[in-house]
Amino acid sequence: MKRIGVLLAAVLIVAAASGPAAGAPTQEDLDRVEREKSRMASLLEDAGEEVQEAGQTLAETETLLPGAEEDVSVAEGRVAAAEAVAAEAEREAEEAREALEAAQEEYEEAADAVEEARQARAEMFTATYRGAELLTVDAILSSDDTSQALDRMTYLEFMIEGKNIAVEDVTLKRREASNAEGTATVAEAEAAEAEAAAEQALADAEERYEEAVDARAEVERLVGEREEALAVAEDAESEAQSEYDRLERASEDLADALREADSGSSSSGGGSSSGGGSGSGFVLPVDGWKSSDFGWRTHPIYGTQRFHSGTDFAAGHGATIHAVDSGTVVYAGWNGGYGMLTCISHGGGVTSCYAHQSSISVSNGQHVSRDQSIGAVGTTGTSTGAHLHFEVRKGGNPVNPLPYLPSCLCR
């Protein structure tokens, strides 16, 4: 009984440890996927739509695959544990069945012994009722020979003792039979309990096996999607490179246009009226979080080095874009991969630019104040989602914007 109790506890432990279905991503997994997809989106800003979609799929599969593979390992461990419990349960059930058979056999033997003792006692009582003992007593009393009388008296005592023994034998046999019956009843209950535990353990093992199969299928699905995404991206590698080249040319053209605008402002005595003419101490251009840094970075699919000329800030579509400092608008309009673009000269050769806008609320030549609304966040041009691509250029060339912004990157 104790072993069966331990076995049932083991079954419950395995069942409780199974937890959620294998392969089901948690909220933390989903959040991590979204962060990785945002990062991938910023890295693939210069790629074509097909490559961007492949990159998103790649980001998702690369993020979820380790967890799915861990689910397989956990599920396989559960299978092994459940199979061990099932094997132990079956062994316990077999032992219980054998104990039941032995108890039943002992009970049958005890019942037969009771019947034999009962028959013997019945025969003795029958003889008594027929007067055998009284005749024997008469024969003893009527005997004139003392020796003969003693012999007959001894026989009489033997008969009486035999009757008493027969009664005691029947009582003992009945007690033994009762004990054997109780043992058989307990053994039968234990056998039933052990068989039920074995069935439960087997069902649990089968369920764990199905979880392992599902987990393995999830891994295979993710691997398949990753391979398809890589194939799509690699097929479009030349297109992605061409798009990146176009962005580079657009950046160079913008640099030329800004240098020309800054030169014109200087020659006409204009320039920025900003109190911070050196371009230091900017305010944050949008209420959002930094999603991509300035500088060289490795393409997530091709492994090539590409230059990102600004800092990206993730923000909701339509979020207000603010001028980081006062100055003069030197560009407001469409600019290829930049989409809808605004650039503001702050004097001293420093210009700030705001790309992928959904709308522009200023115009060329307009003076703007520090923190003034100049447009709204969007996803125009080469962009995979709503965000602000923010650049700081000095002498037309892009420089790292972070030293110009609040260190907390907060508004």
Side-chain angles (χ1 to χ4, degrees), residues 131-155:
E133 291 185 22
L134 294 175
L135 290 174
T136 303
V137 171
D138 289 343
I140 293 172
L141 295 175
S142 63
S143 175
D144 296 331
D145 187 334
T146 302
S147 176
Q148 187 180 35
L150 289 174
D151 288 341
R152 290 175 178 176
M153 183 65 72
T154 300
Y155 177 73

Side-chain angles (χ1 to χ4, degrees), residues 112-136:
D112 291 342
V114 169
E115 182 61 24
E116 290 176 3
R118 191 189 66 77
Q119 289 291 342
R121 188 184 66 171
E123 292 174 0
M124 179 167 287
F125 284 172
T126 300
T128 300
Y129 291 143
R130 288 175 179 174
E133 291 185 22
L134 294 175
L135 290 174
T136 303

Side-chain angles (χ1 to χ4, degrees), residues 41-42 44-49 52 240 243-244 246-247 312 334-340 355-356 379-385 387 389:
S42 66
L44 291 173
E45 206 172 40
D46 58 313
E49 181 177 354
Q52 292 173 4
E243 182 63 29
Y244 175 72
R246 285 194 293 272
L247 279 175
D312 292 342
W334 187 270
N335 190 306
Y338 284 107
M340 297 183 72
H356 307 312
T379 183
T380 56
T382 304
S383 171
T384 56
H387 72 284
H389 174 83

